[in-house]
Amino acid sequence: QAQVLESGGGSVQSGGSLWISCVASGHRMRPHCMGWWRQAPGKEREGVAAIEVGGDMTHYHDSVKGRFTISRADAENTVYLQMNSLQLDDTAMYFCAADWRVDCTSRDPIEFEKQGQGTQVNVSS
């Protein structure tokens, strides 16, 4: 059964950096897209970044452009999210997601087929 598993995260002071990673496994095919979304207490879910596995497409939420970088290691079905210049508003549970559909490049990571359990990112002042 397909699953995605996050690792990394933790706590950092405002202005600092963290990275999180995610591995997709259990599916006979490599995912076509992988990405991240987040949810903070009392707030709506928000797609953060997405990447096309084996392709050139990347998408970022406006609030993280220039600060976050999504990258991939295709052979390992792994994606990374490097988060720099972290702000208090970045505090949230971050969820990895993977999708095997060809049209996933037009979808928000919130809509991807398989979701992870999440990893917490806390930014303090």
Side-chain angles (χ1 to χ4, degrees), residues 12 37-38 40 45 49 85 88 94 113:
V12 67
W37 58 275
R38 66 187 179 185
R45 295 181 299 170
S85 302
L88 297 178
Y94 284 71
E113 291 180 286

Side-chain angles (χ1 to χ4, degrees), residues 21-97:
S21 65
C22 170
V23 177
S25 63
H27 196 286
R28 61 182 179 87
M29 301 286 290
R30 179 174 296 167
H32 194 65
C33 300
M34 295 183 72
W36 297 90
W37 58 275
R38 66 187 179 185
Q39 187 164 29
K43 294 187 178 181
E44 297 290 321
R45 295 181 299 170
E46 178 179 81
V48 175
I51 191 165
E52 183 182 16
V53 178
D56 299 324
M57 182 279 293
T58 57
H59 288 311
Y60 294 94
H61 191 276
D62 286 346
S63 66
V64 306
K65 284 181 181 177
R67 300 189 298 120
F68 290 11
T69 302
I70 189 169
S71 60
R72 66 179 197 261
D74 293 349
E76 291 80 35
N77 289 347
T78 300
V79 291
Y80 307 92
L81 188 68
Q82 176 68 41
M83 303 178 287
N84 298 326
S85 302
L86 281 160
Q87 303 168 357
L88 297 178
D89 286 349
D90 294 317
T91 294
M93 184 74 81
Y94 284 71
F95 297 85
C96 180

